[in-house]
Structures are given as structure tokens and as C-alpha cells.
């Protein structure tokens, strides 16, 4: 059987390979090709070489969006993981109502980004109206609005992953540490954290990549207002592609740059945190 | 045992192959169907695809499509783009296999983007029906866009509130009805006095919200900006048409920006909503404020009638809804009328089969010439159609459209829609963003002017 599986490997893998190429590889390669062309619709592309990339990088909107995205990602990855881990610690102590709380915290993740964006727009504007302000008054409201929104959506999800990790830490190891006289903080620092490192890897990866490629929440909450100062990379790409006639290729070039960035950051992060993972 | 396993393996492989083959086959036949779909046995197309621009009348088009299919057997697929997303939708739809056969362009600038797809319509009957052939979008010898609706915009006012104001014993102006307002100074005096007396008039503000949220600023960055640029391009005597002058202008001075500021400040200072809150307001909000009688005036066009009429708790009577031109303080503006024009031009997709092109043209001709089609156009779509196939009595019944026609007949000069020459959406949005920054107090007016001229130049340059 083992042998025949090996023999027919190619055949069995074929459906997946076909699906993967049709849905991912071909569009991706086509996208890279289009980033070197000028086009209105994808059927009438004309080769223009690197000029789209030059335009993309000399475009102030793109650089602003990049900087805004980096700031946003740093803040939200930090807050999401700190809150999610703390909640997970609280909800693995076997207190009453643990399951109810876990469900409640997870729920925002089930709502779509556009809906969440509009809900938070109403909430935040509702508060700011009292001070004669709106989300568009200052980019900092949009920034913190996005951070709150992203936290609200992702904390529950990350919490579940951390809960699974923490529950896998063997009780005896912690007990031994306690008998040896370790304080609560020392147990956390030297026993629990290293042992939940796989969860941390996953959570960091998910929150990082999700924050970096945030789109629908951004569109619904601020749509970049005021004056594109809260537009993130994905929104800027969308606006370039659809908002500026003749700039479709530039939008595509930005998207390729964006892909390379996300892939690089995620890989580096995976490499670093993987190295810290230990076996119990 | 091993024989059994081998047999099993072979069977599995066989099943897989059959399944795959079946998939491939069914796919093939499906595409075959698709390719053939639309062409009937008699050679004429059985299905055409109309990509609609106006979400507010999407339902009417569905009804028209149903009627047309019942009458001629040709199915009209109507797809409507959500507000503000027409270009996006068109871009993705037109590259599909089953592409729109009828689409819309927004004038000469739109034609530049879609020229590879627009069919030359100069030999069609539809073009010959135009009451003014110069309205069409043309390029060299060809005709690529046919206007199908003439629209007008200005300041819509609620005459009931105005009459209440003019009946006040302590009013500060000498005129006695809103129709006597014929320049900016009078308008300003009336509006500011009304704001001072808003408790007596039982209104919350004179003007509805100057909505400046993303995608909601078109009334200011396009419609209102039309006025100063119309006058600026009119000063250029090399051209006999302000749109042509605008298209030729690589740079603008925005030299009448003070007049823009006049009216814009009047709107925001006498509004129901404070300037700092305008980023969160939508056009729908402002139309609702008007319909509920909370405000006396709102700048919008005759297409807004549907929105006013639909608001629940609507207190404005149809006969009280009137139009006033947008006065900005230009000299000689007593002779200025409403801004009248169109930015909706029908185009036929040149890349679909000739049968489909023909069927699409036939559908449009039916819509604008048959009794049934014309009834839809005037009564349900509420279009003032620019075709000579419509008789005097076949005109829309809604009060705003009637007002537009009345103003067209008055002894005033209508302001053409010069914004057809604006370089791009991006230009308009940058100007709109600057306006928001201005009303929120983050930017001085000088900077708005600078954004306007710089972004015009930048968008023209690429």
C-alpha cells in the first residue's frame, strides 16, 4: 500500500495541484506580470517595464500608508497578544463561568469586518459628538479606533489558541517549580511562557499578518479620512487601482510590493519565534 | 491480500480518472453553453446586459426588463452598481466573458478611459433622435456616448418655510418671497436673518448638512466647484464651450475661489450641523433633514425627489418644493439659472458580438420611442429625456423635474456642467478632503485653493 501510494503520488495530488494553480498560482503570476504593464482591463495590457514601481515609490500616499500600517501593526500586535494572553491565563484557572466567558470573548470574531467597522464608527462617533468631533477630525481618532476595533475582533481568537497552549503545560512541572520556591511571576516567566511558545508563534503570526493586510475594517471605519491620513496599505492599493484612471498598473505594482513585505515580515517572525520553542 | 490491495488501488485510480474526466467534460459543455448563450436560432441576440449607473432607480429598470422580455423575447440582464462604485464595477464586469453590452460613461473624461470599448453610434437611429446632437460625446467623426437624461441642480427650498419667514413682521429684508432672491447678497441676508429667527420658524437650521464623509462629498467637490470653474473657463475666449476650455486646461487658477468660499461658508455657518461634525454626515442625512422640515434649503439636483419623497414622516408637500440657482456673488448673476447638463452617456460595448450590439441598440430605441418605454422614462424613471421622440405632454411629473424645465424656459442662462472636464475622481476627492479639513478648522482657505490647483495640475500631467 505504502508503495502504491508512492507510485500514484502524482495522480492523487493532482486535484489539489490543479485547484491550487487555478485559484492561486496562475492569478498570482498574472498579477506579477500585470505590475509591469499598463492596462484598463486585464485583457489589454501593454508592457511598460519598471515604471509602475518607480511611480509607486515616488507616490507620497503609498509611503504614508506604509508608515501608518507599520505603526498600527506594532501597536495592535502588542496589545492583542498581551490582552489575549492575560485573558487566557485568567480563563484557565477553572473558575465558574469560564466557558461562558470564553464564548463571549470569542464572539466578535464571528462578525464580518465591514459590519464591525460600521458598528465601531457609530460607537466612536457617538462618543466624539459630545465634544463636537468626529472620527474624521483628527487622524489619531482613526488610528486608535482601528486599534480598538482590531483588538476587539482578534483578542478572543488569540485567547482560544493561548488557552489550548496553557492547558497543555504539564501540571507537575508547575508544581515542581512551586515546591522549589518559585514565585508566581517566576513560574510564568520560566515555565509557562517557554512551554506555550508554539501558541505564541501562531498568535504572533496571525495578528501580524492580519494587522498588516487589514482592509475592510479600515474601509468601513474611516475610508482613509481625513485626507487619506488613516489609509492603510491595502486600502491605498484599492484606491490606486480603482480610483485613478491609468494607474491600474501602479496599483498592481504596489500590491506586489505589499505581498513581498508581508511574506518577509511573517517569515522572519516565524524563524525567530520558532527558535525559542522548547519541548516540555 | 496484496492482490486485493493492488486491485483496490487500481479501482481508486480509475474512479478518480473518471471523475476528473467527467468534470472536464461538464466544464467544457458548460462553457460551450455560455458561449452560445445569447444568440438565438434566428441570429438575433437573446440576451443583453445593461449595467445601470443609478441605484435609486434600479427597481424600475427591473420592471422595464421584464416588460421588454415579454414583448420581444430578448432578456435584459440589469445589474446596478452601488452608489459611487460604477467605475469599479464596470472595470471588473467588462473583463468578464459575459460583459455588459450597454454601459455608461461620464463624458469626455470617461470616454478617454473607455474608448477601446465604446462603439461608434453615429449611424444609429438613437443618435438621430437626439434633440440636440451636440450633447453627445464625440471624438473625431465618431459618436461614442448618447446622453439620455438632462438634469439640473441648484438650491432646493421649502416654500412653506420661506413663506412663513416672509410673513414675519420683523424680517430684516425688503423682499417678500423666495422667488425674488436673485443674487448672493440677498440670499445671504435672508439666510442669516432666518438663522437668527430659527425658533420662530421652527427649524433647526437654514441649510441641511454639508455632508463631507468619504463618497458623500460630490455635491461640493463636483457640483459646487462647477460654478467658479464655469466662470473661469468662460473667460477663456479661445473656446466657445467651457467643457472644451476645461479639457484643454493643464492648469487652473481657481480665480473665483472667493465666490466658492462665499457660498460654502454660508452653507456651513447656517447649517443644522456644526462644521466639525460634517465628516460623519451623508447626503441621505441631509435629504432626510429637508424632508422632515428641519431645514429650509439644501443643495441638490432633481434626482433627489425620490429621496425626499421616500423619507418616512415626510412633511414637505410636493407643491412647496422649489429651485433656486446657486448664487455666489459673481457680477451679473441675476441672469444665472440652474446648473443643467448630464454626465450620463450610454455607450455600447464594441467587444461583444454584433448581434448583441444590435439587440442593445434596439432595446434603447424601444425605451425612448415606444409608448410603453416612454411612459416608463417620464413617469417612473422621472427623466427629462433629450430626445425629439417625446411630445410636450410626455414630461416627468415630479416637482423638481418640472422646476428644472421651468427654469430652462426662463430668461436666464443655465450653467452647463463644466465638471465633465474635471481631470479625475482623484482630483475631486483631494479637493473634497481639503474642504473637510477646512470646515474642521485644520486648514486655512489658502491651502484649500492650493490643493485645488496643485491636484488639477498633477492629475492632468499623468
Amino acid at each position: 500500500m505504502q508503495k502504491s501510494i508512492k507510485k500514484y503520488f502524482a495522480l492523487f495530488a493532482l486535484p489539489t495541484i490543479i485547484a491550487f494553480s487555478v485559484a492561486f498560482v496562475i492569478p498570482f503570476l498574472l498579477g506579477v506580470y500585470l505590475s509591469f504593464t499598463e492596462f484598463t482591463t486585464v485583457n489589454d495590457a501593454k508592457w511598460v517595464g519598471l515604471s509602475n514601481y518607480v511611480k509607486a515609490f515616488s507616490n507620497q500616499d503609498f509611503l504614508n500608508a506604509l508608515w501608518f500600517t507599520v505603526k498600527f501593526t506594532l501597536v495592535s500586535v502588542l496589545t492583542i497578544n498581551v490582552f489575549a494572553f492575560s485573558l487566557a491565563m485568567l480563563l484557565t484557572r477553572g473558575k465558574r463561568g469560564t466557558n461562558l466567558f470564553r464564548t463571549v470573548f470569542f464572539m466578535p470574531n464571528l462578525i464580518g469586518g465591514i459590519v464591525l467597522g460600521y458598528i465601531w464608527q457609530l460607537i466612536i462617533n457617538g462618543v466624539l459628538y459630545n465634544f463636537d468631533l468626529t472620527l474624521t477630525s483628527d487622524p489619531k481618532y482613526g488610528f486608535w479606533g482601528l486599534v480598538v476595533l482590531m483588538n476587539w475582533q482578534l483578542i478572543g481568537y488569540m485567547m482560544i489558541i493561548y488557552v489550548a497552549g496553557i492547558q497543555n503545560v504539564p501540571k507537575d512541572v508547575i508544581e515542581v517549580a512551586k515546591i522549589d520556591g518559585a514565585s508566581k511571576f517566576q513560574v510564568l516567566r520560566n515555565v509557562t511562557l517557554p512551554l506555550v511558545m508554539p501558541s505564541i508563534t501562531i498568535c504572533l503570526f496571525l495578528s501580524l499578518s492580519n494587522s498588516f493586510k487589514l482592509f475592510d475594517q479600515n474601509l468601513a471605519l474611516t475610508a482613509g479620512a481625513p485626507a487619506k491620513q488613516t489609509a492603510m496599505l491595502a486600502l491605498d492599493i484599492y484606491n490606486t487601482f480603482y480610483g485613478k484612471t491609468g494607474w491600474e498598473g501602479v496599483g498592481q505594482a504596489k500590491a506586489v510590493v505589499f505581498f513581498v513585505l508581508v511574506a518577509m515580515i511573517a517569515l522572519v517572525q516565524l524563524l525567530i519565534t520558532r527558535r525559542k520553542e522548547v519541548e516540555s | 491480500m496484496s492482490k486485493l490491495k493492488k486491485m483496490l488501488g487500481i479501482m481508486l485510480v480509475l474512479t478518480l480518472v473518471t471523475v476528473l474526466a467527467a468534470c472536464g467534460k461538464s466544464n467544457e459543455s458548460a462553457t460551450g453553453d455560455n458561449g452560445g448563450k445569447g444568440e438565438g436560432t434566428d441570429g438575433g441576440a437573446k440576451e443583453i446586459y445593461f449595467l445601470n449607473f443609478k441605484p435609486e432607480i434600479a427597481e424600475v429598470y427591473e420592471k422595464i426588463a421584464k416588460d421588454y422580455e415579454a414583448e420581444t423575447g430578448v432578456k435584459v440582464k440589469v445589474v446596478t452598481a452601488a452608489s459611487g462604485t460604477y467605475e469599479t464595477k464596470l472595470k471588473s464586469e467588462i473583463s468578464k466573458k459575459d460583459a455588459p453590452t450597454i454601459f455608461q460613461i461620464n463624458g469626455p473624461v470617461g470616454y478617454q478611459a473607455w474608448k477601446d470599448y465604446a462603439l461608434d453610434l453615429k449611424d444609429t437611429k438613437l443618435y438621430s433622435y437626439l434633440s440636440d446632437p451636440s450633447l453627445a460625446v464625440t471624438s473625431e467623426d465618431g459618436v461614442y456616448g448618447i446622453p439620455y437624461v438632462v438634469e439640473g441642480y441648484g438650491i432646493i427650498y421649502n416654500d412653506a418655510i420661506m413663506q412663513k419667514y416672509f410673513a414675519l413682521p420683523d424680517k430684516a429684508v425688503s423682499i417678500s418671497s423666495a422667488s425674488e432672491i436673485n443674487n448672493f447678497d440677498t440670499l445671504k441676508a435672508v439666510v442669516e436673518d432666518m438663522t437668527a429667527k430659527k425658533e420662530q420658524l421652527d427649524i433647526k437650521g437654514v441649510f441641511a448638512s454639508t455632508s463631507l464623509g468619504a463618497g458623500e462629498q460630490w455635491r461640493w467637490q463636483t457640483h459646487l466647484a462647477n460654478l467658479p470653474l464655469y466662470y473661469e473657463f468662460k473667460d477663456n475666449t479661445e473656446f466657445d464651450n467651457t467643457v472644451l476650455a476645461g479639457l484643454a486646461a493643464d492648469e487652473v487658477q481657481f480665480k473665483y475661489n472667493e465666490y466658492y468660499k462665499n457660498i460654502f461658508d454660508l452653507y456651513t455657518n447656517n447649517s443644522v450641523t456644526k462644521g466639525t461634525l460634517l465628516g460623519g454626515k451623508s447626503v441621505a442625512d441631509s435629504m432626510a433633514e429637508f424632508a422632515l422640515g428641519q431645514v429650509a434649503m439644501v443643495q441638490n439636483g432633481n434626482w433627489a425627489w425620490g429621496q425626499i419623497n421616500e423619507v418616512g414622516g415626510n412633511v414637505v408637500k410636493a407643491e412647496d418644493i422649489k429651485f433656486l440657482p446657486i448664487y455666489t456673488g459673481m457680477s451679473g448673476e441675476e441672469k444665472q439659472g440652474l446648473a443643467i447638463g448630464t454626465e450620463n452617456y450610454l455607450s455600447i460595448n464594441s467587444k461583444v458580438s454584433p448581434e448583441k450590439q444590435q439587440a442593445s441598440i434596439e432595446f434603447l430605441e424601444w425605451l425612448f420611442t415606444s409608448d410603453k418605454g416612454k411612459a416608463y422614462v417620464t413617469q417612473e424613471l422621472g427623466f427629462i429625456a433629450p430626445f425629439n421622440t417625446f411630445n410636450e405632454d410626455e414630461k416627468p411629473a415630479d416637482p423638481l423635474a418640472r422646476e428644472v424645465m421651468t427654469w430652462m424656459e426662463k430668461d436666464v442662462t443655465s450653467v452647463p456642467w463644466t465638471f465633465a472636464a474635471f481631470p479625475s475622481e482623484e482630483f475631486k476627492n483631494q479637493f473634497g478632503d481639503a474642504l473637510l479639513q477646512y470646515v474642521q478648522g485644520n486648514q486655512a482657505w489658502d491651502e484649500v485653493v492650493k490643493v485645488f490647483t496643485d491636484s488639477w495640475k498633477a492629475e492632468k500631467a499623468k
Side-chain angles (χ1 to χ4, degrees):
Chain A
M1 195 67 200
Q2 192 63 261
K3 226 176 159 187
S4 55
I5 286 180
K6 264 188 191 146
K7 213 160 151 192
Y8 297 113
F9 164 77
L11 197 63
F12 281 106
L14 206 60
T16 316
I17 290 175
I18 292 174
F20 187 65
S21 344
V22 169
F24 181 78
V25 178
I26 296 174
F28 178 75
L29 293 178
L30 193 66
V32 174
Y33 161 70
L34 285 174
S35 73
F36 295 102
T37 61
E38 202 184 298
F39 61 97
T40 316
T41 62
V42 292
N43 308 326
D44 59 355
K46 277 189 288 295
W47 188 266
V48 293
L50 279 174
S51 78
N52 285 336
Y53 286 88
V54 175
K55 272 189 192 166
F57 277 107
S58 50
N59 183 226
Q60 198 54 45
D61 291 342
F62 184 60
L63 301 176
N64 287 344
L66 180 63
W67 177 227
F68 185 83
T69 311
V70 169
K71 279 195 293 189
F72 169 78
T73 308
L74 284 177
V75 175
S76 56
V77 166
L78 197 76
T79 48
I80 288 170
N81 286 288
V82 168
F83 282 122
F85 189 80
S86 320
L87 276 179
M89 288 298 283
L90 277 174
L91 294 179
T92 45
R93 296 207 174 151
K95 294 262 161 58
R96 275 179 60 135
T98 296
N99 279 331
L100 178 74
F101 279 113
R102 283 185 194 172
T103 318
V104 168
F105 284 123
F106 185 72
M107 264 172 21
N109 197 54
L110 303 174
I111 308 173
I114 287 276
V115 180
L116 272 187
Y118 283 119
I119 292 174
W120 277 95
Q121 190 188 48
L122 287 177
I123 297 176
I124 298 173
N125 272 338
V127 175
L128 289 176
Y129 269 11
N130 299 327
F131 306 97
D132 277 349
L133 296 165
T134 65
L135 262 173
T136 62
S137 305
D138 193 308
K140 71 173 183 249
Y141 300 129
F143 179 82
W144 289 108
L146 280 170
V147 170
V148 170
L149 168 53
M150 198 60 183
N151 271 277
W152 202 64
Q153 189 177 21
L154 281 187
I155 283 176
Y157 193 64
M158 300 304 151
M159 178 197 74
I160 296 293
I161 300 175
Y162 281 127
V163 164
I166 292 168
Q167 277 174 340
N168 270 337
V169 176
K171 291 254 173 3
D172 44 355
V173 185
I174 295 181
E175 217 161 288
V176 168
K178 277 185 183 157
I179 291 167
D180 284 348
S183 68
K184 265 189 184 164
F185 179 72
Q186 279 172 320
V187 173
L188 177 72
R189 169 87 183 70
N190 296 319
V191 180
T192 315
L193 270 182
L195 285 174
V196 295
M197 212 54 208
S199 303
I200 296 180
T201 307
I202 295 176
C203 287
L204 278 183
F205 175 76
L206 285 178
S207 49
L208 193 79
S209 54
N210 276 330
S211 306
F212 219 85
K213 58 194 173 76
L214 194 72
F215 175 72
D216 34 1
Q217 290 88 337
N218 192 195
L219 182 70
L221 192 73
T222 65
K228 295 185 186 158
Q229 291 179 66
T230 59
M232 293 177 66
L233 278 179
L235 186 63
D236 181 56
I237 292 169
Y238 172 83
N239 285 338
T240 316
F241 193 92
Y242 286 116
K244 290 174 122 177
T245 310
W247 279 58
E248 288 87 352
V250 183
Q252 203 65 40
K254 286 181 179 180
V256 172
V257 173
F258 178 59
F259 166 80
V260 173
L261 272 177
V262 176
M264 248 169 35
I265 295 171
L267 279 179
V268 168
Q269 178 262 326
L270 275 184
L271 274 178
I272 294 174
T273 43
R274 267 284 171 79
R275 230 182 277 150
K276 298 225 159 107
E277 284 178 18
V278 291
E279 298 271 323
S280 66
Chain B
M1 198 59 198
S2 74
K3 213 175 178 182
L4 185 74
K5 275 186 183 166
K6 208 173 174 182
M7 279 296 289
L8 205 72
I10 291 170
M11 271 175 66
L12 264 172
V13 169
L14 277 178
T15 341
L16 199 69
V17 169
T18 1
V19 169
L20 273 178
C23 281
K25 212 172 172 187
S26 69
N27 264 341
E28 232 166 63
S29 65
T31 47
D33 272 344
N34 246 336
K37 192 169 67 178
E39 271 101 82
T41 41
D42 56 343
K46 282 278 171 252
E47 183 176 340
I48 57 174
Y49 176 177
F50 179 71
L51 189 62
N52 172 29
F53 178 83
K54 289 170 163 277
E56 62 269 25
I57 48 176
E59 283 164 23
V60 184
Y61 275 121
E62 299 285 347
K63 275 199 270 177
I64 294 175
K66 216 172 267 170
D67 263 17
Y68 189 67
E69 191 180 358
E71 204 173 305
T72 62
V74 176
K75 187 174 182 325
V76 184
K77 177 178 164 194
V78 181
V79 173
T80 302
S83 169
T85 63
Y86 192 77
E87 285 288 305
T88 319
K89 186 88 182 169
L90 180 56
K91 212 171 267 184
S92 57
E93 288 292 302
I94 210 155
S95 50
K96 287 184 186 165
K97 191 166 190 176
D98 190 14
T101 58
I102 308 170
F103 63 96
Q104 282 150 66
I105 56 176
N106 65 0
V109 173
Y111 170 67
Q112 280 312 312
W114 294 104
K115 60 182 172 206
D116 295 344
Y117 290 87
L119 185 73
D120 186 355
L121 300 171
K122 73 166 177 291
D123 299 325
T124 59
K125 272 188 253 164
L126 188 65
Y127 175 57
S128 69
Y129 295 145
L130 271 183
S131 40
D132 178 4
S134 72
L135 286 173
V137 176
T138 52
S139 170
E140 288 161 16
D141 282 340
V143 174
Y144 299 97
I146 307 273
Y148 61 93
V149 55
V150 171
E151 296 169 305
Y153 65 86
I155 299 171
I156 301 173
Y157 65 91
N158 181 341
D159 205 34
I161 297 176
M162 299 310 286
Q163 280 169 7
K164 204 166 161 187
Y165 166 73
F166 286 112
L168 290 179
D170 57 340
K171 67 176 162 82
V173 291
S174 56
I175 58 169
S176 55
S177 102
S179 54
E180 288 174 56
I181 300 175
N182 65 357
N183 59 32
F184 178 73
D185 293 333
T186 321
L187 177 67
K188 188 172 174 178
V190 168
V191 166
E192 288 179 346
D193 194 36
M194 283 177 80
T195 302
K197 298 187 172 67
K198 63 182 176 189
E199 267 84 45
Q200 281 167 270
L201 297 169
D202 195 25
I203 52 174
K204 292 188 180 168
V206 179
F207 287 107
S209 301
T210 311
S211 47
L212 282 162
E216 304 283 345
Q217 342 110 317
W218 46 268
R219 288 185 295 161
W220 326 111
Q221 36 97 311
T222 307
H223 288 172
L224 194 53
N226 186 50
L227 290 149
L229 283 185
Y230 159 69
Y231 285 113
E232 181 166 341
F233 294 142
K234 213 172 102 176
D235 292 347
N236 184 348
T237 47
E238 279 172 48
F239 298 90
D240 44 47
N241 174 326
T242 52
V243 177
L244 294 177
L247 287 171
D250 286 334
E251 281 182 45
V252 286
Q253 293 172 300
F254 200 11
K255 66 176 163 187
Y256 298 116
N257 73 76
E258 279 304 318
Y259 299 100
Y260 186 99
K261 185 171 180 286
N262 277 344
I263 188 77
F264 190 71
D265 283 348
L266 191 71
Y267 286 160
T268 50
N269 293 339
N270 298 285
S271 161
V272 66
T273 316
K274 277 189 197 143
T276 47
L277 299 180
L278 293 175
K281 287 287 173 187
S282 67
V283 180
D285 289 335
S286 61
M287 294 324 292
E289 288 155 8
F290 182 79
L292 298 176
Q294 296 173 351
V295 298
M297 300 181 188
V298 59
Q299 182 198 312
N300 212 341
N302 59 289
W303 54 85
W305 165 244
Q307 267 176 310
I308 298 173
N309 200 25
E310 267 164 29
V311 172
N314 179 357
V315 296
V316 182
K317 290 199 198 77
E319 64 267 27
D320 286 332
I321 301 181
K322 297 266 157 63
F323 256 128
L324 205 63
I326 303 170
Y327 296 117
T328 56
M330 288 291 300
S331 62
E333 67 182 351
E334 285 79 7
K335 284 278 167 203
Q336 180 197 305
L338 298 181
I340 290 168
T342 183
E343 62 165 345
N344 284 290
Y345 298 85
L346 291 165
S347 287
I348 305 290
N349 190 344
S350 60
K351 302 211 171 175
V352 296
S353 66
E355 291 81 23
K356 284 197 179 191
Q357 290 170 2
Q358 194 48 43
S360 305
I361 294 169
E362 276 163 19
F363 167 67
L364 293 177
E365 287 171 353
W366 174 85
L367 184 61
F368 294 114
T369 54
S370 74
D371 288 341
K372 217 171 194 179
K374 284 198 289 187
Y376 270 120
V377 172
T378 49
Q379 285 155 28
E380 300 210 33
L381 297 173
F383 286 171
I384 307 170
F387 297 104
N388 55 25
T389 51
F390 288 81
N391 303 328
E392 264 313 301
D393 54 335
E394 290 170 323
K395 296 280 153 78
D398 82 65
L400 287 176
R402 292 206 158 267
E403 276 281 297
V404 170
M405 288 186 287
T406 316
W407 272 96
M408 282 165 88
E409 282 152 21
K410 276 192 197 172
D411 180 29
V412 291
T413 316
S414 298
V415 177
W417 286 16
T418 310
F419 59 75
F422 286 13
S424 68
E425 272 310 299
E426 177 71 14
F427 158 75
K428 296 182 205 169
N429 289 338
Q430 285 186 5
F431 177 48
D433 288 342
L435 287 175
L436 176 63
Q437 297 285 64
Y438 168 69
V439 292
Q440 289 179 346
N442 303 339
Q443 239 175 39
W445 182 253
D446 290 351
E447 284 173 74
V448 180
V449 176
K450 194 171 168 327
V451 167
F452 190 95
T453 52
D454 285 358
S455 122
W456 180 289
K457 200 169 147 189
E459 291 297 304
K460 274 281 179 177
K462 49 163 220 227

